[in-house]
Amino acid sequence: MKRSSIITIALLTAGATAFGQAKLVEKVTKTGTGLVIPYEKYVLPNGLTVILHEDHSDPLVHVDMTYHVGSAREEIGKSGFAHFFEHMMFEGSEHAPKGVHDKITIGNGGMNNGSTNRDRTNYYETVPANVLENAIWLEADRMGFLLGQVTQERFEIQRATVKNERGQNYDNRPYGLVSQYSSKNLYPYGHPYSWLTIGYIEDLNRSNVNDLKNFFLRWYGPNNATLTIGGDLNSASTIKLVEKYFGTIPRCPEVKPVVAPRVSLSANRYVSYTDNYARLPLLAITYPTVPNYDKDMAALDCLAEILGQGKNSVLYQTVVKKQLALQASAYQSNTELAGEFTIQMVPLPGKTLADMEQLYRAALDSLEKRGITEEDMAKFKGSIKSQSINRLQSVEGKVSELAQFQTFTGDPNRVQKEIDQYTALTRQDVLNAYNKYIKNKGAVIVSVLTKGGNIAAAKADNYTIDTTHYKAPDYGYAGLKYKPGKDNFDRSKAPALGPVPVTKVPLYWTKTLPSGVRVIGSENAEVPVVTMNLTIPGGRLADGADLSKAGLSSMFAAMMNEDTKNYTAEKFAAELQKLGSSISIGNDVDGLVFRVQSLKANLGKTIALLQERLLNPKFTQEAFDRLKKQRLESFKLAKAQPAAIAGVVFAKLNYGADNVLGLPEAGTERTVANITLADVQNYYNNYLTSNGAKVVIVGDIKEPAALAQLGFLSKLPSKKVTLAAPAAALPVAKTKIYLVDVPKAAQTQFSVGYGNNLRYDPTGEYYKFYMANYPLGTDFTSRLNTYLRETKGWTYGASTRVSADKYAGGYLFSSGIRAPSTDSALVALMDELKNYITNGPTAEEVVFLKKAIGQGNALRFETGPQKAGFISRILDYNLQPTYVAKQTAMLNSLTPAQATAIAKQYIQPDKLNILLVGDKARILPGLQKLGYDIVELNADGDPVEAK
């Protein structure tokens, strides 16, 4: 592959302010054919690295502030500080108190967030271009002026929030603690990767506000940070803003690289634990490998794909396809100090974890016998090229790449270099990596056991962590002092917003083919990628014809991903992968959807494969039996997840067991058991048609070229398909609590609301209700999230959502609440609902929602898939492009009184289904004091008979 040529220059910027003159050290421009993200790189005297990327394709900017500090800078007894501090950075700063950050970003149609991993913490905003200076001001203020706002009260609230996050993402989900057990047994005691980024609860409990202040002073300085800004900006004026707001912020103490010894295991370490939620056991095998950007990184990534990713993988062929395991996968992860090669396997009934280990060893034997093939390499390289291009569809993706490369390598210009590394990979490189890191090497082997299960660990635990040689690192926390920078301007005054940029609705074209297929398309030439969706009538509503076989449409979609008459499923997948393309088939409410993604150069070959998939399926008994068995076992996994239980049971409460909308899309154990291979063939015979079919195509393709690719659709039969509309939602006569018991659950999953018959209408009642609900529960600043998370610390997040399609709608409050606060949170929810329908939103909240919704289109029409979603709605609902202007008019004319009236019409606290999935023994006594009728249900939503 030809590498692009670049121009690299180093010079001083002219006209810099006195606050801290930025030095331009590199400028990269695209002048060749390779993949390059153009940028300018600066360094301020205080050490801040700044990378600017101009991209005027959309009127928005993305700002990323990455600090080179993560959980690897922690120590035994003080885990979780890096992630905890990420939360504290959203608690306000001296000149932008708590809430200002959200009001400026979200309140002007943007978004903001942050993330922490082992090696870095980043904070980011995507905002309309006129908010750029404000975003820079906000990031600078919390870098230089944070600690005055770090109070004990806010510390306690965020500590509770972090505990809830741990409960939701780790403690309260099946297999959530696998990585914790793997890490602490893989790395030496005290190694910075031997604990999870989120830390241990006991460490969070013993931490104090001064610990966090010292963490900030030690690591959160400009000389340990990279500020990357991309989008609709002018580099010359943007660097002056950076100089102004960041230039006086003092450096933190010198930051030296973390040094950790390379891990190597002389023997297998067997460990086990019992999972409170898992219904099926799991075996996880983890080998130590190489850090990110190591010369062997690409080879290990390729090896993981060959061994355990996709239908062609060795584990799929030797274990899953032969119905010996429900799941078997492999993946390689690379971080700054080390890498991990992990295999995970979930046995099917009749197989043990010891069997899984034996099957894995046999799979390695199979790998050695088959070797590494040229097709393996072609598939892997095709995928890498496609992934690299697709990551650059959004300005956020481009900025994230630049920030990542600069933080960990000092060279932002690595996109093409990394592609070249993967392109140059050979079969021998992969085989060498296998021999060096996997074959006959020691691993940590974790057995995840189920409560009351009769499956034993793969082998008895044989490893005890040695804690005797740990020496706590001296990170230099002593004597740190908070010294805000001194400015000659008033930093307390937020910058004025620029003119609101005009966001243009994507241009599109429409066509009806001779076959009757309706087509809508939009050209988007930013990256050489094409996205296409083909929808054929059917989907979930087709299941309504025979509810005893609910899930048939989903099973049919799965079977359409298997063999065709001219390709095995494996060969088909291989051909797609070599092209860097994907074709997936799934269900919509009233359609079977073929989703296609392709590089522009390979679209013709990809469409030929789509034609094969569509017109020449081969439904075999072997594939059907395997998929059916896997699906029946997967229901057990779902019943181990409170959120999944809530989704199934809440639908049943709202629509009933005799309504297709009241049943899971995948069906139930009872209904799937009734489905036969003949049913799958009959579905194809009855529902595959061009009559009523729709195509959405977006990307680097013009209308004539797009239409030329669709001629094969004329080969579909043109039969009329009639889908019966689902029955109406069940009325709620009286608010009741429905309780599903999950013993020892750390959180209670709330689903509160109802189903209704509100249809999607972007300029009608649906949109009115959406606007009226916004201040109550739509975004992070909403009343419910602010109270339940930011004020009380009871949850990681809470929201209310208005939903609607062509057939039905609904209203839902959803949250995972810490178990001891279940009754208090329910009281608070009901009080807020009653208050809101009585008093409605304030005038200030209505002003906020108008800007938040009205200026958000810059973020909604950016990428190809986003544009596809927009024009798809136009086709689905026969909308005129002027509907966006009508929405704007409705939004601008909304008054608090109107919003209150709409809320009162649709939110009725005395007619709600309150579904709580949690630990009955812990939460029932408090709930019984609230005066509601309480009905206990099982995980299928059926009443539990009193004992």
Side-chain angles (χ1 to χ4, degrees):
M1 182 177 294
K2 182 179 178 182
R3 185 175 298 181
S4 67
S5 56
I6 60 173
I7 301 172
T8 304
I9 59 176
L11 47 85
L12 290 175
T13 57
T17 69
F19 294 102
Q21 190 177 55
K23 181 180 181 181
L24 174 61
V25 296
E26 187 178 43
K27 181 173 182 176
V28 171
T29 57
K30 180 182 169 90
T31 58
T33 58
L35 207 57
V36 171
I37 308 172
Y39 65 87
E40 294 179 4
K41 176 179 172 180
Y42 300 82
V43 177
L44 270 60
N46 60 9
L48 179 67
T49 299
V50 183
I51 300 171
L52 303 179
H53 162 67
E54 291 194 34
D55 177 356
H56 301 288
S57 57
D58 294 282
L60 57 85
V61 290
H62 185 78
V63 179
D64 178 288
M65 176 60 80
T66 296
Y67 294 89
H68 197 165
V69 58
S71 58
R73 297 288 187 175
E74 297 164 357
E75 58 190 277
I76 293 292
K78 294 184 177 181
S79 66
F81 272 34
H83 174 257
F84 194 169
F85 202 83
E86 177 208 320
H87 281 248
M88 295 304 297
M89 284 282 276
F90 290 92
E91 287 298 288
S93 51
E94 183 176 332
H95 307 106
K98 183 174 174 62
V100 170
H101 203 116
D102 290 331
K103 287 179 180 178
I104 289 176
T105 54
I106 299 174
N108 284 289
M111 57 77 67
N112 70 81
N113 212 327
S115 69
T116 309
N117 63 28
R118 288 169 163 176
D119 308 308
R120 65 99 186 105
T121 308
N122 76 329
Y123 305 86
Y124 51 91
E125 300 85 17
T126 307
V127 291
N130 65 316
V131 190
L132 172 60
E133 184 174 358
N134 279 265
I136 294 172
W137 170 70
L138 288 166
E139 286 297 349
D141 206 61
R142 58 182 175 184
M143 174 189 278
F145 303 89
L146 181 88
L147 289 191
Q149 294 291 311
V150 178
T151 65
Q152 186 68 37
E153 179 184 8
R154 291 177 180 174
F155 171 86
E156 294 296 346
I157 290 171
Q158 289 308 314
R159 172 156 56 185
T161 301
V162 172
K163 290 180 183 179
N164 289 321
E165 181 178 355
R166 181 182 165 102
Q168 180 173 314
N169 293 336
Y170 298 91
D171 299 325
N172 202 39
R173 62 189 302 178
Y175 315 126
L177 297 177
V178 172
S179 57
Q180 177 173 293
Y181 280 85
S182 296
S183 295
K184 72 179 183 180
N185 288 284
L186 175 64
Y187 297 102
Y189 187 76
H191 187 287
Y193 287 175
S194 62
W195 52 82
L196 296 179
T197 298
I198 201 165
Y200 291 103
I201 291 291
E202 53 268 29
D203 290 352
L204 293 171
N205 286 337
R206 70 167 63 96
S207 63
N208 62 60
V209 70
N210 289 325
D211 290 330
L212 250 65
K213 287 182 178 181
N214 276 334
F215 193 88
F216 171 77
L217 292 172
R218 179 64 189 89
W219 308 111
Y220 272 68
N223 50 309
N224 195 38
T226 296
L227 174 64
T228 309
I229 308 174
D232 192 12
L233 58 85
N234 175 274
S235 294
S237 58
T238 301
I239 193 60
K240 291 180 180 179
L241 293 175
V242 174
E243 290 170 338
K244 174 181 178 180
Y245 292 110
F246 284 93
T248 63
I249 298 174
R251 301 167 70 96
C252 67
E254 180 186 2
V255 177
K256 297 180 180 179
V258 176
V259 177
R262 182 71 63 90
V263 175
S264 178
L265 306 186
S266 59
N268 290 326
R269 297 175 179 176
Y270 288 89
V271 295
S272 63
Y273 76 96
T274 300
D275 192 303
N276 185 55
Y277 299 95
R279 297 292 184 95
L280 296 173
L282 177 143
L283 188 72
I285 303 170
T286 302
Y287 298 88
T289 58
V290 299
N292 217 353
Y293 308 113
D294 184 275
K295 64 180 181 62
D296 290 332
M297 175 185 72
L300 286 162
D301 286 344
C302 184
L303 177 63
E305 179 176 288
I306 295 167
L307 181 60
Q309 296 174 19
K311 292 181 184 295
N312 286 285
S313 70
V314 175
L315 282 171
Y316 182 87
Q317 288 294 315
T318 61
V319 179
V320 177
K321 191 170 184 179
K322 292 181 178 179
Q323 301 186 50
L324 302 173
L326 178 63
Q327 298 172 6
S329 61
Y331 58 91
Q332 163 71 16
S333 62
N334 302 95
T335 41
E336 187 173 20
L337 304 179
E340 297 166 13
F341 193 97
T342 300
I343 297 90
Q344 293 191 352
M345 304 175 72
V346 176
L348 279 166
K351 294 297 178 180
T352 66
L353 293 180
D355 293 334
M356 292 301 100
E357 184 178 2
Q358 289 181 351
L359 289 166
Y360 164 67
R361 306 291 178 197
L364 294 185
D365 293 339
S366 298
L367 174 65
E368 293 184 22
K369 290 177 183 178
R370 78 185 280 282
I372 309 300
T373 68
E374 285 299 336
E375 182 165 76
D376 290 333
M377 306 309 295
K379 290 192 292 117
F380 180 68
K381 293 175 183 181
S383 295
I384 289 296
K385 181 180 179 181
S386 176
Q387 291 167 15
S388 299
I389 293 174
N390 279 306
R391 278 198 295 267
L392 306 184
Q393 288 201 52
S394 68
V395 68
E396 178 182 355
K398 296 170 189 173
V399 166
S400 297
E401 291 284 272
L402 292 170
Q404 166 87 1
F405 289 139
Q406 171 59 35
T407 299
F408 296 114
T409 72
D411 177 14
N413 185 40
R414 284 190 60 91
V415 175
Q416 188 62 49
K417 295 173 186 176
E418 195 163 275
I419 291 176
D420 290 345
Q421 179 184 0
Y422 282 86
T423 302
L425 192 66
T426 68
R427 295 161 56 192
Q428 190 61 48
D429 292 333
V430 179
L431 186 59
N432 290 344
Y434 168 72
N435 289 323
K436 186 175 181 180
Y437 301 104
I438 308 300
K439 184 176 181 179
N440 299 325
K441 298 300 186 291
V444 171
I445 302 177
V446 178
S447 296
V448 183
L449 310 178
T450 59
K451 290 192 309 180
N454 55 4
I455 301 295
K459 286 186 180 178
D461 294 7
N462 70 348
Y463 180 69
T464 301
I465 298 171
D466 181 1
T467 63
T468 60
H469 301 292
Y470 174 66
K471 182 179 179 181
D474 181 3
Y475 283 129
Y477 289 115
L480 295 174
K481 294 183 179 180
Y482 179 42
K483 296 179 181 179
K486 296 182 179 180
D487 305 303
N488 64 2
F489 69 99
D490 187 355
R491 196 179 284 266
S492 66
K493 293 183 179 179
L497 294 171
V500 176
V502 176
T503 301
K504 296 180 181 178
V505 172
L507 297 175
Y508 63 88
W509 50 267
T510 60
K511 185 79 171 180
T512 300
L513 303 181
S515 59
V517 177
R518 293 185 298 153
V519 185
I520 188 166
S522 179
E523 184 179 0
N524 177 31
E526 292 176 32
V527 290
V529 172
V530 177
T531 298
M532 187 181 97
N533 293 339
L534 165 65
T535 303
I536 294 174
R540 291 187 68 191
L541 291 189
D543 288 354
D546 184 0
L547 290 180
S548 71
K549 297 183 178 182
L552 171 59
S553 60
S554 177
M555 180 66 78
F556 174 77
M559 286 291 289
M560 286 291 284
N561 282 298
E562 292 291 324
D563 295 350
T564 70
K565 293 176 181 176
N566 297 301
Y567 291 84
T568 63
E570 292 80 4
K571 181 63 175 175
F572 194 94
E575 293 304 310
L576 277 176
Q577 213 172 339
K578 285 186 283 187
L579 297 172
S581 301
S582 65
I583 299 174
S584 62
I585 305 166
N587 255 351
D588 204 345
V589 176
D590 59 0
L592 180 73
V593 185
F594 295 76
R595 296 181 173 88
V596 179
Q597 183 100 347
S598 173
L599 298 178
K600 177 183 179 180
N602 296 333
L603 181 61
K605 294 179 180 178
T606 305
I607 294 296
L609 289 170
L610 173 64
Q611 178 176 343
E612 172 69 18
R613 176 68 81 203
L614 183 64
L615 300 178
N616 296 312
K618 182 180 179 182
F619 303 128
T620 68
Q621 191 68 48
E622 182 275 331
F624 176 79
D625 291 342
R626 169 171 40 83
L627 290 174
K628 183 174 180 178
K629 185 175 182 180
Q630 290 172 345
R631 181 151 301 190
L632 290 171
E633 289 301 314
S634 71
F635 292 134
K636 295 180 182 178
L637 295 178
K639 289 179 181 179
Q641 303 173 47
I645 294 171
V648 169
V649 176
F650 196 64
K652 194 169 186 176
L653 288 173
N654 291 337
Y655 294 98
D658 296 326
N659 188 324
V660 69
L661 299 183
L663 295 172
E665 178 186 335
T668 67
E669 292 169 90
R670 177 179 56 81
T671 63
V672 170
N674 295 331
I675 299 172
T676 66
L677 181 61
D679 294 323
V680 171
Q681 183 64 57
N682 289 337
Y683 186 104
Y684 183 85
N685 296 339
N686 294 331
Y687 288 98
L688 262 289
T689 177
S690 62
N691 193 323
K694 301 171 291 189
V695 171
V696 177
I697 186 164
V698 171
D700 190 7
I701 188 168
K702 297 184 182 297
E703 178 181 352
L707 293 174
Q709 296 286 354
L710 302 178
F712 74 94
L713 294 175
S714 63
K715 299 177 182 179
L716 284 171
S718 182
K719 63 173 77 74
K720 177 69 174 176
V721 171
T722 301
L723 299 171
L730 299 176
V732 181
K734 176 185 178 183
T735 295
K736 294 181 181 179
I737 293 175
Y738 297 90
L739 177 61
V740 179
D741 184 24
V742 178
K744 297 183 180 180
Q747 292 181 306
T748 302
Q749 184 67 37
F750 275 54
S751 292
V752 181
Y754 61 93
N756 64 21
N757 301 309
L758 189 66
R759 308 292 193 265
Y760 176 78
D761 179 356
T763 57
E765 288 297 304
Y766 162 80
Y767 192 66
K768 291 178 183 178
F769 190 14
Y770 169 75
M771 292 189 295
N773 175 66
Y774 194 94
L776 179 63
T778 296
D779 71 27
F780 190 85
T781 67
S782 68
R783 290 188 183 188
L784 287 169
N785 189 67
T786 297
Y787 184 75
L788 295 173
R789 170 179 161 140
E790 297 298 293
T791 302
K792 304 302 292 187
W794 289 339
T795 181
Y796 182 49
S799 65
T800 52
R801 184 174 73 248
V802 180
S803 63
D805 56 28
K806 298 175 189 175
Y807 309 99
Y811 188 65
L812 172 67
F813 166 82
S814 179
S815 184
I817 302 288
R818 59 187 295 264
S821 303
T822 300
D823 53 345
S824 299
L826 181 55
V827 171
L829 169 63
M830 299 304 289
D831 285 347
E832 187 54 62
L833 293 179
K834 292 172 184 176
N835 174 60
Y836 194 73
I837 64 173
T838 301
N839 301 310
T842 65
E844 182 182 9
E845 286 175 323
V846 172
V847 170
F848 181 91
L849 80 89
K850 288 180 178 181
K851 293 175 66 180
I853 297 173
Q855 295 177 201
N857 283 339
L859 279 67
R860 299 188 188 109
F861 304 148
E862 183 187 10
T863 67
Q866 286 176 317
K867 288 180 171 69
F870 172 76
I871 64 173
S872 178
R873 284 191 295 276
I874 287 176
L875 190 65
D876 287 344
Y877 294 94
N878 297 312
L879 303 175
Q880 297 297 315
T882 54
Y883 91 82
V884 176
K886 291 181 180 179
Q887 282 187 332
T888 301
M890 292 172 65
L891 185 66
N892 291 338
S893 65
L894 183 71
T895 67
Q898 290 172 335
T900 304
I902 296 165
K904 186 175 296 185
Q905 178 182 355
Y906 289 106
I907 302 174
Q908 299 180 19
D910 60 340
K911 295 182 179 180
L912 296 176
N913 291 321
I914 300 174
L915 174 62
L916 305 176
V917 182
D919 185 358
K920 173 185 173 182
R922 194 173 192 181
I923 67 178
L924 182 58
L927 296 174
Q928 289 173 327
K929 298 175 183 178
L930 302 184
Y932 296 102
D933 293 343
I934 300 176
V935 180
E936 188 174 352
L937 305 174
N938 62 22
D940 294 316
D942 298 321
V944 174
E945 296 183 7
K947 295 182 180 179

